[in-house]
């Protein structure tokens, strides 16, 4: 529950000067700024820097400023790299041993197909993504934030949201710093406390849905089939992702659905599943380093969650990032969404448009615009991530048929590759293009079922085709409708 003030908070003493030093003193001494940002992750750090460079006074709060160590948020698509450049933060990819990503290699039952980023997307060559250790990228973003004169970074644990009992407006937050209570106030409070947000449920009607976990391993000096590419391995089970995150390190992410029999305690748990079920399906060149990583036992997991976006309606507060919207990390779109959200917020909340962030009516109007304007990109990435996961983790005949149709579609090359990878990369921002390619895959899957069926089984094959098309509708439309809800 938020902390409710029955009387307005006391105003800070009047400032005698508008110099940067006095504004910084107001943040450090009075704990007051134009903006309070909760969470110094990807979005929190980027939005704090962006607003500060527009002249806003920003207080950035983070529970721990130690370099984080996570197994997701390690692959930035070209659309995210472009957003980073627009924000003037491209240098944050330097000096972290980031690796170039040129596209993907999809391996279907041992058969591979290259899916490069589209050649006609940017001038001067194909676009590129980057992969890296998540914590190193966060460290660089935080270092950039600490260099900004309009930002004060504080290591503290936010415990409550402070709300006015008179107006219901969010005024700031209560926190705990080395066991002592602290209070921070701002005209606008931005909550960006990640996938495990402690404040989400009070202000968003939707709850995250998680049906599987990614179990992560770090492989040493792995020999990937196609260097400088992410790899998706498809077989009988759920998908496996492989991508390099450093000169000598490769991340392996194995999707393990809830209640998977091969991961039960009787079968050796997750480690048994990895060794007995996953290992034999991987490319031969990766198996030795994968097995060695299993034996070392450094297994970590993250839930794969889906949370549709919501309009921010609370005066004085905005929820952003994974606190507000999540999708399956299969497509590596989370950071691309976050950084593009910051680009959009920069334009919607700039001082020329919103002179006073305390004007809650205007801010809420801009946040409604934000919700719908971000759809061109985020709806594509959200829907694509969930739909592809349904196909790649296929567990019934119709989904298996769609999975095969998807792979054969990629093998056709041309627009059958450029379109889907352009959507995944955050380059093509047109939801109708996604719908077109998804149902093109469904039609190809139906054609494969019909063309490979003996003449006497054509009636059954036709019936199967109807089932495949119906399954495609069941996969896509719920996620499409979730994007249309406000």
């Amino acid at each position: 529950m938020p902390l409710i003030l029955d009387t307005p908070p006391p105003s800070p003493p009047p400032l005698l000067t508008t110099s940067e030093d006095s504004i910084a003193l107001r943040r450090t001494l009075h704990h007051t700024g134009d903006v309070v940002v909760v969470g110094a992750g990807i979005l929190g750090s980027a939005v704090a820097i962006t607003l500060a460079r527009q002249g806003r006074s920003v207080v950035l709060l983070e529970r721990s400023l130690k370099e984080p160590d996570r197994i997701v948020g390690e692959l930035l698509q070209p659309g995210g790299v472009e957003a980073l450049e627009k924000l003037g933060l491209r240098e944050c990819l330097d000096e972290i041993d980031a690796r170039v990503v040129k596209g993907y290699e999809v391996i279907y039952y041992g058969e591979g197909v290259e899916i490069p980023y589209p050649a006609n997307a940017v001038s001067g060559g194909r676009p590129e993504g980057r992969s890296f250790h998540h914590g190193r990228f966060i460290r660089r973003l935080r270092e950039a934030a600490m260099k900004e004169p309009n930002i004060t970074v504080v290591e503290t644990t936010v415990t409550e949201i402070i709300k006015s009992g008179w107006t219901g407006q969010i005024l700031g937050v209560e926190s705990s710093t080395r066991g002592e209570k602290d209070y921070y106030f701002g005209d606008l409070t931005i909550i960006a406390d990640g996938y495990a947000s402690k404040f989400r449920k009070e202000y968003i009607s939707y709850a995250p849905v998680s049906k599987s976990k990614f179990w992560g391993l770090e492989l040493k000096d792995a020999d990937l089939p196609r260097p400088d590419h992410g790899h998706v391995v498809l077989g009988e089970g759920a998908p496996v992702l492989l991508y390099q995150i450093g000169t000598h390190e490769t991340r392996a992410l194995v999707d393990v659905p809830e209640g998977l029999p091969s991961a039960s305690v009787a079968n050796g748990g997750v480690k048994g599943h990895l060794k007995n079920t996953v290992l034999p399906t991987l490319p031969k060149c990766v198996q030795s380093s994968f097995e060695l990583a299993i034996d070392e036992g450094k297994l970590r997991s993250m839930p794969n969650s889906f949370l549709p976006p919501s309009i921010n309606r609370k005066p004085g507060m905005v929820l952003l990032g994974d606190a507000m919207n999540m999708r399956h990390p299969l497509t590596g779109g989370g950071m691309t969404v976050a950084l593009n959200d910051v680009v959009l917020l920069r334009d919607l909340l700039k001082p020329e448009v919103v002179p006073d962030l305390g004007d809650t009516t205007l801010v809420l109007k801009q946040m409604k615009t934000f919700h719908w304007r971000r759809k061109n990109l985020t709806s594509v990435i959200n829907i694509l991530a969930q739909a592809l996961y349904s196909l790649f983790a296929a567990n019934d005949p119709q989904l298996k048929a769609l999975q095969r149709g998807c792979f054969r579609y990629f093998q056709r090359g041309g627009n059958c590759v450029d379109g889907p990878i352009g959507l995944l990369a955050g380059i093509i921002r047109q939801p109708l293009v996604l719908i077109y390619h998804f149902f093109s895959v469904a039609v190809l899957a139906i054609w494969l079922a019909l063309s490979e069926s003996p003449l006497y089984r054509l009636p059954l094959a036709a019936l199967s085709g109807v089932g495949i098309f119906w399954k495609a509708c069941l996969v896509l439309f719920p996620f499409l409708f979730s994007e249309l809800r406000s």
Side-chain angles (χ1 to χ4, degrees):
M1 291 294 292
L3 178 64
I4 298 177
L5 297 184
D6 293 325
T7 57
S11 299
L15 299 175
L16 301 178
T17 174
T18 58
S19 68
E20 288 183 353
D21 287 344
S22 64
I23 295 173
L25 184 64
R26 187 181 176 203
R27 293 194 301 270
T28 56
L29 184 61
H30 303 293
H31 293 185
T32 302
D34 297 323
V35 186
V36 174
V37 180
V38 178
I42 301 292
L43 188 141
S45 297
V47 78
I49 294 167
T50 299
L51 294 176
R53 289 178 178 176
Q54 291 182 330
R56 311 289 193 183
S57 177
V58 181
V59 180
L60 178 58
L61 308 178
E62 170 57 39
R63 181 185 53 165
S64 172
L65 291 173
K66 293 180 180 178
E67 184 173 304
D69 185 15
R70 290 180 57 187
I71 62 169
V72 294
E74 298 171 317
L75 196 153
L76 185 62
Q77 299 290 356
V81 175
E82 180 186 12
L84 206 60
E85 291 171 349
K86 289 179 179 178
L87 295 171
L89 294 171
R90 175 62 179 76
E91 71 276 4
C92 292
L93 292 174
D94 299 334
E95 301 176 10
I96 60 172
D97 196 22
R99 315 309 299 171
V100 169
V101 179
K102 298 179 179 179
Y104 282 81
E105 174 85 357
V106 177
I107 301 171
Y108 176 73
Y109 289 91
E111 185 179 4
V113 61
E114 182 188 8
I115 307 178
Y117 293 128
N120 58 351
V122 295
S123 59
R126 295 181 184 271
E128 295 178 342
R130 290 292 185 274
S131 55
F132 40 73
H133 287 269
H134 174 84
R136 295 177 186 175
F137 183 47
I138 293 287
R139 169 172 51 80
R140 291 284 287 163
L141 286 170
R142 291 174 178 173
E143 288 172 353
M146 292 175 185
K147 291 177 182 177
E148 292 293 325
N150 285 341
I151 298 179
T152 297
V153 181
V154 182
E155 188 173 54
T156 186
T157 301
V158 175
T159 55
E160 299 282 352
I161 292 175
I162 302 172
K163 181 171 70 173
S164 169
W166 289 71
T167 65
Q169 179 180 340
I170 301 303
L171 304 173
V173 298
E174 176 187 324
S175 71
S176 175
T177 307
R178 294 184 293 275
E180 299 292 330
K181 283 188 178 182
D182 263 339
Y183 302 91
Y184 295 88
F185 297 96
D187 294 328
L188 180 65
T189 299
I190 296 176
I191 303 296
D193 58 341
Y195 76 96
S197 173
K198 66 171 70 174
F199 306 111
R200 174 196 299 126
K201 63 181 180 181
E202 195 164 343
Y203 300 100
I204 290 182
S205 57
Y206 309 124
V209 176
S210 178
K211 297 182 179 180
S212 69
K213 289 182 178 180
F214 259 149
W215 286 83
L217 295 167
E218 188 173 300
L219 315 186
K220 298 297 183 182
D221 296 313
D223 184 14
L224 294 176
R226 194 174 295 275
D228 300 328
H229 286 65
H231 293 69
V232 183
V233 182
L234 304 176
E236 287 300 327
V240 178
L241 300 185
L242 301 166
Y243 52 90
Q244 200 170 352
I245 56 174
T247 302
H248 300 285
E249 303 86 37
T250 293
R251 174 68 68 209
L253 293 175
V254 181
D255 187 84
V256 180
E258 292 180 352
L260 190 67
S262 59
S264 65
V265 175
N267 289 315
V270 172
K271 183 178 282 192
H273 170 72
L274 296 178
K275 180 165 286 190
N276 301 324
T277 304
V278 176
L279 179 62
T281 68
L282 298 178
K284 295 291 185 183
C285 57
V286 178
Q287 289 186 6
S288 60
S289 56
F290 188 87
E291 186 171 20
L292 181 61
I294 295 174
D295 292 339
E296 289 179 351
K298 296 178 181 178
L299 287 172
R300 289 178 295 159
S301 67
M302 287 282 290
N304 297 324
S305 302
F306 173 66
L307 177 67
S310 302
I311 295 178
N312 283 277
R313 303 181 187 275
K314 193 67 179 176
M317 187 187 75
V318 173
L319 265 75
L320 294 172
D322 284 352
M324 184 270 288
N325 181 206
M326 291 186 284
R327 78 290 308 153
H328 197 287
L330 173 69
T331 56
M335 291 188 292
T336 297
V337 168
L339 292 171
N340 277 277
D341 278 353
V342 176
V343 172
L344 182 54
L345 278 171
R346 177 194 64 183
D347 298 335
L348 292 175
L349 298 182
K350 60 186 178 183
E352 298 87 345
V353 178
V354 184
D356 179 12
L357 291 175
D359 184 347
T360 59
T361 301
L362 180 55
V363 170
L364 289 177
K365 178 184 175 183
Q366 293 301 92
M367 291 314 300
K368 186 174 182 179
T369 301
F370 168 80
H371 174 80
W372 293 110
R373 194 177 291 179
R374 72 194 289 269
K375 292 289 184 184
N376 282 342
L377 171 67
T378 59
S379 66
V380 166
I381 292 180
N382 291 341
I383 296 169
L384 182 64
Q386 298 305 123
L388 268 185
Y389 176 70
S390 297
L391 269 58
F392 287 178
N395 58 4
D396 65 39
Q398 289 79 31
L399 287 174
K400 281 290 185 184
L402 286 167
Q403 183 189 78
R404 184 175 70 136
C406 184
F407 183 75
R408 300 304 176 204
Y409 192 74
F410 293 154
Q411 285 184 315
R412 297 170 72 89
N415 190 46
C416 296
V417 165
D418 288 348
I421 193 63
L423 293 164
L424 183 145
I427 297 169
I428 299 176
R429 305 183 177 196
Q430 302 173 44
L432 289 177
V433 175
L434 168 61
I435 295 171
Y436 165 78
H437 284 289
F438 188 82
F439 281 103
S440 295
V441 166
V443 170
L444 179 58
I446 293 168
W447 167 249
L448 291 173
L450 291 172
S451 63
E452 296 174 2
S453 175
L455 188 60
Y456 71 92
R457 290 182 60 88
L458 275 180
L460 287 176
L463 187 62
S464 174
V466 172
I468 292 171
F469 188 82
W470 178 244
K471 179 64 72 170
C473 294
L474 291 178
V475 167
L476 189 69
F477 285 135
F479 299 119
L480 187 62
F481 291 149
S482 73
E483 288 292 324
L484 297 176
R485 295 181 302 184
S486 59

